[in-house]
Amino acid sequence: MSEQSCEISVAGIVQGIGYRPFVFNLAADLGIKGYVMNLGDAGVKIAAQGQKEILLKFIELLKEAKPKLSIYESFQIEWKELITNFTRFEIAKSSSSGKSTGFSYLPPDITICEKCVEEMESDDQRRKDYPFNSCVDCGPRYTVIEKLPYDRPNTVMEEFTFCHSCQQDYENSKDRRFHAQTTCCTECGPKYTLYSISKGIISFSNNGEMIKFVSQEIEKGKLVAIKGIGGTHLACSTTNDDTLLRLREAKGKRKFKPFAIMAKNIQAIDKFADMNSEEEKLLTSFRKPIVLLKKKIDYYLSDWVSPGLHNVGVMLPYAGIHFMILREMKEPTIVMTSANPSNYPMFIDNDEIMEKLAYVDYFLLHDRRIYQRNDDSVIRINKLGEHFSNKFIRRSRGWVPEPLISHIDVKNNTLLGIGAEMHLIPSLMKGTRIIPTQHIGTVTLLETYEYMIEAIEHLLKLYNSKIDAIAYDMHPQYLTSTSIDEILHHFDVEKHNAFQHHEAHIASVALEKKIQPEEEIIGIALDGTGYGRDGSIWGGEIFCGPITDLERVGQLEQFNLPGGDLATKYPLRSLLSLLSLNFKRDEIVDITADLVNTLPRGKEEVEFVLTQLEKNVFPIGFKTTSTGRFLDAVSTFLGICGEQTYEGEPAIRLEGYSLGGKTSGDPLGLEIPFKETKNGHEIQISQIFPQLIDLSKNISKEKLAYSTQQALGKAISDVVSSIADQRNISKILVSGGVCLNGIIIDEIVKSVETEKRKLLTNENISPGDGGVSVGQLYLLALSSYSNS
């Protein structure tokens, strides 16, 4: 029977996950000749020669038996005349000539697999206690790749020449390190070195002895800086109050901001936190994010891990070094918090680590370059109605650089969405694919701004692309906006558009849920800060219309922000403003008498703010409809949190505190009314305070807190339901940082959703400002580039 040939072009996640070795071994088993080749940013090409029946079987198995992490976006087969007579099947040298009209998939950094962990704990001389052990199924990817195609010379591993044994593993088609680009061992790979702040390098006979020493020192209360896959962590005990307070002081007076912790296994987590099946699934996935879990009643870790909160951020080991440290410890958990100060890029250079972290006791550093920083991802799972919903607080390691798939196509144009300013994650779009960068942080420092530019440049270099147009936030004072001319010049771009912050939030959901551009929707945007079209600070908005022409049809009641950012830092200022809408000056003084110590100047400051409020001296930029500032004010009124020491703290602590007052229904009968105004529906949030004052003598603060958030959710849903009924709208989109509040959003879901109406929110990107760039891209694409 004569042989035939075909050419198969595959796009999707097919590089960096052992796809070529899979194709090679499958072809060898079936006796097929030809080759498999990486095509730079265009996926993989397979040339196959054999009998037609065998080739059809080959194609079937390529689809059905592919590696577990691979995803096919396209799989095209072209039958050809037999021209080249192949004599064998091989992995051909990669080509960079393949071009696609979109970004190809690249795998994220992958948690070390069970087989590699088992080798680390075996008697294998080359891999016993070797923390960089990896294979085709696991190990770093994005953090080590310098350019495509994904081959060892294009990664930082080029600096580590194979020893003879690793070379054999790499070339052996039956070995799981066959063409695994990060293959290495104790003989030829990267190495860890332990430094003491006082004694310099500390020598050990082997890695096992070094890690045993480090583990013992952590349990004694020492601070250790550990360089990992995408940055540097600070590790210490989770039960030693003195050590945790020392760490808080050292990290720039980090008063109450929670620390993430790493637990040895699921059994260890179960002793201090509650988990549902979805949370456990995330914790044990190959992505290994930090997952926010509810503390058990008998939570035994130090209160200084996550002070004042109902939850704690937990992750499982994802690198070899983590498994080794926890294996040697009696304690089943350790703090693993980012070593960099807030809003500063992660430390990746050894000299910088030792200089900037001179307050630690030890440095556990390796000599493999981190080409791209990549912070740990953070996720919370909320129950919305009858289903669970992923809520990204930070989308980074484990996901980057996986693309989102859009339902609109910008063809060969490359668009950049910069984002806002806080929790920044820029995104690039080409064709139908959108690739968010890793988490950058809040861009208020030059170092973070430069990190943002470098992250964008890296993606452009990977995909050999040039930006055609840029979208950014219309806030006139964000560094990303004030520097737009410099950014345009840097990337040699002329076209640019500024978009309203909350409209971009809604657009991010529209893209994620594939809402058609002409479809009329209702959008709810709830957050702390966003520059409004009228120059005021928005943050509690209801929109209606098609995504490119949203009309603001509702908002929270507007109130003044005495001192601007000072009202965010000290929420009693916002509370005074809200109280002034219903109470006289002497009444407000009496109501807040027990709260004056939350302000730096106490009573004097209260009197000053009240005088300002009476004179109404506030320009438009100091007026707000912010949901976040309202929740902060409630938190202060109830005595839960009177000072913001990290972003969102008063509102976050309000939610946690209120869970103790959760009841069925709302027996307290709290209501937030709304009224019609010339600007649409106004939700009169100030009306909650007279009710709280009346009930506060007889009702617990927990119940008041819970019922207030329920009342807010109910008020928003009442307005939305009214608009939806009037205009016959079936899709309600909700976004913004307040979407992380499970009480409010669950109430909106329960009250809004019917058989005909569906509430949609972000699940694959953050509902907070980390997702704004995706919404900006959608709006930019629809304005100039779409072919939907």
Side-chain angles (χ1 to χ4, degrees), residues 559-581 592 599 609 613 622 624 626 628-634 636-637 685-686 689:
F559 59 98
N560 293 312
L561 282 177
D565 289 343
L566 278 175
T568 303
K569 174 72 172 174
Y570 301 106
L572 177 54
R573 285 172 165 261
S574 293
L575 176 61
L576 294 171
S577 177
L578 283 160
L579 289 173
S580 72
L581 299 176
T592 60
L599 295 176
V609 170
L613 289 165
F622 285 74
T624 190
S626 167
R629 300 296 80 79
F630 166 66
L631 295 173
D632 292 350
V634 174
T636 294
F637 175 81
I685 50 177
S686 67
F689 292 102

Side-chain angles (χ1 to χ4, degrees), residues 16-274:
I17 43 89
Y19 189 77
R20 286 179 299 169
F22 155 71
V23 174
F24 178 92
N25 285 317
L26 182 59
D29 291 343
L30 295 174
I32 288 173
K33 294 167 282 188
Y35 64 84
V36 58
M37 174 194 295
N38 272 348
L39 290 178
D41 71 344
V44 165
K45 175 183 175 181
I46 303 168
Q49 176 185 318
Q51 295 180 4
K52 181 78 175 275
E53 182 180 339
I54 301 299
L55 290 176
L56 290 172
K57 182 67 174 176
F58 177 60
I59 292 168
E60 179 185 352
L61 291 173
L62 284 174
K63 295 178 178 179
E64 295 181 357
K66 66 182 186 295
K68 62 182 179 180
L69 296 182
S70 65
I71 296 175
Y72 291 161
E73 187 181 43
S74 67
F75 190 97
Q76 299 177 342
I77 305 162
E78 183 179 356
W79 294 94
K80 298 200 166 193
E81 291 184 18
L82 188 62
I83 299 175
T84 304
N85 193 20
F86 296 109
T87 59
R88 58 178 179 165
F89 198 92
E90 62 182 6
I91 295 179
K93 183 179 179 181
S94 297
S95 169
S96 59
S97 61
K99 298 294 177 184
S100 71
T101 58
F103 298 129
S104 66
Y105 284 86
L106 276 176
D109 298 311
I110 303 169
T111 297
I112 186 171
C113 68
E114 291 182 6
K115 291 181 179 178
C116 284
V117 173
E118 288 172 1
E119 284 179 333
M120 290 169 55
E121 296 175 348
S122 71
D123 293 327
D124 185 323
Q125 289 187 346
R126 293 169 52 223
R127 296 195 168 93
K128 176 180 171 59
D129 291 332
Y130 185 57
F132 299 95
N133 200 22
S134 67
C135 68
V136 76
D137 293 324
C138 70
R141 297 292 191 270
Y142 184 67
T143 50
V144 299
I145 296 173
E146 296 187 26
K147 61 183 179 180
L148 292 176
Y150 177 57
D151 292 317
R152 192 178 181 96
N154 295 335
T155 74
V156 299
M157 291 303 294
E158 182 187 25
E159 300 166 13
F160 301 94
T161 304
F162 282 137
C163 65
H164 177 70
S165 297
C166 282
Q167 185 74 47
Q168 286 185 319
D169 294 340
Y170 183 83
E171 295 174 352
N172 180 1
S173 64
K174 301 303 179 184
D175 194 288
R176 75 176 198 281
R177 293 184 175 84
F178 180 46
H179 278 259
Q181 308 305 328
T182 55
T183 296
C184 58
C185 72
T186 54
E187 297 297 321
C188 62
K191 291 177 171 56
Y192 268 102
T193 302
L194 184 67
Y195 301 83
S196 166
I197 194 67
S198 58
K199 300 178 182 178
I201 294 177
I202 304 176
S203 299
F204 296 89
S205 59
N206 55 58
N207 284 337
E209 291 301 315
M210 177 174 64
I211 300 305
K212 185 178 293 185
F213 175 83
V214 169
S215 299
Q216 291 171 347
E217 292 299 293
I218 290 174
E219 291 188 309
K220 290 177 182 177
K222 303 297 185 182
L223 298 180
V224 182
I226 302 173
K227 185 178 177 183
I229 289 176
T232 304
H233 287 108
L234 292 177
C236 71
S237 168
T238 58
T239 58
N240 189 317
D241 286 355
D242 291 339
T243 300
L244 287 162
L245 288 169
R246 176 189 164 199
L247 177 57
R248 289 193 172 280
E249 180 67 23
K251 281 205 72 176
K253 301 187 184 300
R254 184 168 169 158
K255 197 170 181 181
F256 297 120
K257 190 174 182 179
F259 293 136
I261 66 173
M262 182 174 283
K264 185 175 295 187
N265 49 40
I266 286 291
Q267 292 72 29
I269 297 174
D270 193 48
K271 288 184 169 65
F272 62 84
D274 293 323

Side-chain angles (χ1 to χ4, degrees), residues 227 232 346-354 365 373:
K227 185 178 177 183
T232 304
M346 295 188 77
F347 299 139
I348 57 175
D349 177 77
N350 287 1
D351 290 339
E352 182 184 34
I353 293 168
M354 297 182 77
L365 308 179
R373 297 173 173 89

